[in-house]
Amino acid sequence: MRTRLSKSKRREDILRKARQLFLEQGLADTEMEDIRLACGVSRGGLYHHFSNKRAVLDAVVEGDVAGLADALNVDGASPILVLLEVGSSHRGANAGVLSALQTPEEKLDYLSSLEQAFSSILMDALVARMGEFVRNDINAEHVAELFMTINTHINRREILGQWSSAQAAGFAATSLEALAPLLQSPEELAPIIADLKHKASS
């Protein structure tokens, strides 16, 4: 007998099982029917929540980015440090559904979803937390924009195979060295920069 879930719980269940299928089968080999069967819902029930697989991917990525935004709420923690620790694969963070992507088209779809989620979810959270961590004479929103622009560039180059992981780590280290003087406590970035330089030379 099918378990009746609330609308929000059903949506969460669909996304959890879709993520699992993406990781196990790959995005290309996962169809909406696979997701429907895994969730035990009717076609109408599935399409009530998501019109197509791209909409499911968008929502999965939004969930990942919302997790990053939530992580910024730690009192006293520099938002840049938090994002580097929880969101950077170069620092050992979970890459999410990235491993499920095989074709250039899938990777472009993922990047589009990621960049939209950064803009709609993460940017405001980052700006709200940045003020107390940048120098008084520096516009916190500008620093947040710089950080996110750099991060987006690194993601795009590495995910599309234009940079190796070492090249991406090297660029990240250089970028953080450029951003550090804008912060009240630039020395906090020193161990991360050193770690990224080590990865870049490995």
Side-chain angles (χ1 to χ4, degrees):
M1 190 167 84
R2 184 178 301 160
T3 303
R4 294 190 62 83
L5 299 176
S6 68
K7 184 176 180 180
S8 62
K9 291 294 185 184
R10 175 63 69 193
R11 187 177 190 277
E12 289 174 13
D13 185 60
I14 291 170
L15 291 177
R16 183 171 57 254
K17 288 173 179 168
R19 176 192 295 275
Q20 184 176 348
L21 287 169
F22 290 162
L23 291 172
E24 290 174 355
Q25 301 179 182
L27 184 64
D29 293 330
T30 300
E31 302 295 339
M32 288 292 277
E33 182 67 4
D34 298 320
I35 298 171
R36 184 190 77 77
L37 291 172
C39 296
V41 295
S42 66
R43 287 183 178 82
L46 176 60
Y47 284 93
H48 173 74
H49 292 278
F50 301 103
S51 58
N52 52 45
K53 189 167 66 172
R54 174 60 191 274
V56 176
L57 176 63
D58 285 345
V60 167
V61 172
E62 285 170 5
D64 290 342
V65 173
L68 294 179
D70 289 342
L72 295 179
N73 293 324
V74 178
D75 287 339
S78 164
I80 286 182
L81 290 180
V82 170
L83 289 179
L84 289 170
E85 290 299 331
V86 235
S88 171
S89 60
H90 301 116
R91 302 282 298 157
N94 189 317
V97 296
L98 195 51
S99 62
L101 311 179
Q102 299 164 3
T103 69
E105 292 76 19
E106 289 174 339
K107 292 174 181 178
L108 286 169
D109 282 347
Y110 173 81
L111 284 166
S112 175
S113 298
L114 187 64
E115 290 163 14
Q116 177 58 40
F118 279 169
S119 176
S120 63
I121 298 171
L122 189 57
M123 180 58 73
D124 287 345
L126 181 58
V127 170
R129 294 288 293 133
M130 190 69 80
E132 62 186 285
F133 296 95
V134 301
R135 286 177 12 208
N136 293 332
D137 60 327
I138 299 294
N139 186 311
E141 186 170 355
H142 293 173
V143 178
E145 288 276 2
L146 280 169
F147 180 80
M148 293 303 297
T149 299
I150 291 165
N151 186 63
T152 297
H153 179 70
I154 293 171
N155 283 338
R156 183 164 283 272
R157 293 294 291 266
E158 188 173 7
I159 289 170
L160 294 179
Q162 298 165 348
W163 279 352
S164 67
S165 182
Q167 288 173 307
F171 186 84
T174 301
S175 302
L176 289 176
E177 285 181 318
L179 282 176
L182 306 178
L183 306 178
Q184 288 189 20
S185 303
E187 67 281 357
E188 290 182 336
L189 291 181
I192 293 176
I193 292 170
D195 182 55
L196 288 168
K197 285 184 173 180
H198 175 72
K199 286 180 168 62
S201 62
S202 299

